[in-house]
Amino acid sequence: AIQMTQSPSSLSASVGDRVTITCRASQGVRNTLGWFQQKPGTAPKLLVYEASSLPSGVPSRFSGSGSGTDFTLTISSLQPEDFATYYCLQNYNYPYTFGQGTKLEI
Amino acid sequence: QVRLVESGGGAVQPGESLRLSCAASGFTFRNYPMQWVRHAPGRGLEWVGYIRSDGSNAYYGDSVKGRFTISRDNSNNIVFLQMDSLRLEDTAIYFCAKEDWGLPRDWGQGTRVTVSS
């Protein structure tokens, strides 16, 4: 199975900061990667698909980039509601695999 | 709008079985693949499996392969997760999700499974 390695595992930041989370795949996955946000006690929410596309309703302060093995999720100006854990997920081949998560503390 | 409601969770002992259900509404269920994802306490998300829209094929995560089976009833808009030979490490909240762009896009609220002796 493809291994996804996220960094950092936790991150402390302030409202208004620009934050970047990275995800590295153990082999190339083209652009078949998504990013999810999960808040405690709730279901995850899809933020980015195909590495850089945002579903409708996702704020434009979120952006994704990368292809192959290295990917980033950037939040351009942190808002208080962005406190959450973020995960990448490769959907290049089965079994799909998540990164271990990045806990963002405001 | 899309609505997914999981049910069937509960407390079981190691080695026992459990079947989860996910009732779907608000979209044409038979046209969409479905996925299951779980979240164990204190751990990250884990991808459990996928089933094709017509139910003809399914794929599983390494830790559940051979023990879990995903199926669906397109007449009644339900997807199932049959979990056999349950282990302590299967304790988690289980989510079903509607797939879009190859990813779990719309999620249910989850159902809790506890495996304990």
Side-chain angles (χ1 to χ4, degrees):
Chain A
I2 298 173
Q3 293 188 4
M4 306 301 293
T5 303
Q6 271 182 248
S7 61
S9 55
S10 64
L11 178 60
S12 183
S14 301
V15 172
D17 284 355
R18 179 183 179 90
V19 168
T20 297
I21 299 168
T22 65
C23 187
R24 175 164 287 177
S26 60
Q27 66 182 75
V29 298
R30 298 186 182 176
N31 71 332
T32 54
L33 181 122
W35 289 95
F36 295 82
Q37 175 194 67
Q38 187 181 29
K39 298 181 180 180
T42 69
K45 174 185 177 182
L46 179 64
L47 295 177
V48 174
Y49 66 95
E50 293 176 357
S52 60
S53 297
L54 271 61
S56 60
V58 173
S60 58
R61 64 180 180 273
F62 292 95
S63 63
S65 65
S67 183
T69 60
D70 294 304
F71 301 87
T72 60
L73 173 70
T74 299
I75 310 172
S76 61
S77 180
L78 272 175
Q79 299 303 302
E81 62 267 29
D82 298 337
F83 161 75
T85 302
Y86 294 84
Y87 297 91
C88 61
L89 172 67
Q90 67 82 16
N91 59 313
Y92 179 68
N93 64 14
Y94 298 108
Y96 292 174
T97 42
F98 283 96
Q100 78 276 19
T102 296
K103 186 173 183 179
L104 178 54
E105 299 170 304
I106 307 295
Chain B
Q1 69 278 23
V2 174
R3 180 172 163 85
L4 299 167
V5 179
E6 301 94 336
S7 61
V12 296
Q13 295 188 335
E16 293 186 339
S17 297
L18 207 56
R19 188 174 84 154
L20 306 183
S21 300
C22 171
S25 60
F27 64 102
T28 306
F29 179 74
R30 65 180 180 273
N31 290 348
Y32 287 88
M34 297 293 290
Q35 299 189 21
W36 286 92
V37 173
R38 68 185 181 183
H39 188 197
R43 302 187 65 178
L45 298 175
E46 182 179 9
W47 188 81
V48 172
Y50 153 100
I51 186 166
R52 190 171 165 168
S53 57
D54 63 1
S56 62
N57 212 348
Y59 297 95
Y60 302 92
D62 287 344
S63 64
V64 307
K65 193 172 184 179
R67 299 187 299 122
F68 289 13
T69 304
I70 301 174
S71 61
R72 63 192 294 162
D73 178 352
N74 283 350
S75 297
N76 291 296
N77 297 349
I78 305 174
V79 60
F80 302 99
L81 179 64
Q82 176 67 39
M83 304 186 295
D84 298 322
S85 303
L86 282 161
R87 304 169 180 170
L88 297 176
E89 56 266 31
D90 295 319
T91 294
I93 297 174
Y94 286 75
F95 298 96
C96 69
K98 168 183 169 285
E99 182 181 292
D100 266 315
W101 309 296
L103 292 164
R105 181 192 180 173
D106 300 289
W107 299 63
Q109 83 290 346
T111 187
R112 185 179 299 272
V113 172
T114 302
V115 184
S116 172
S117 54

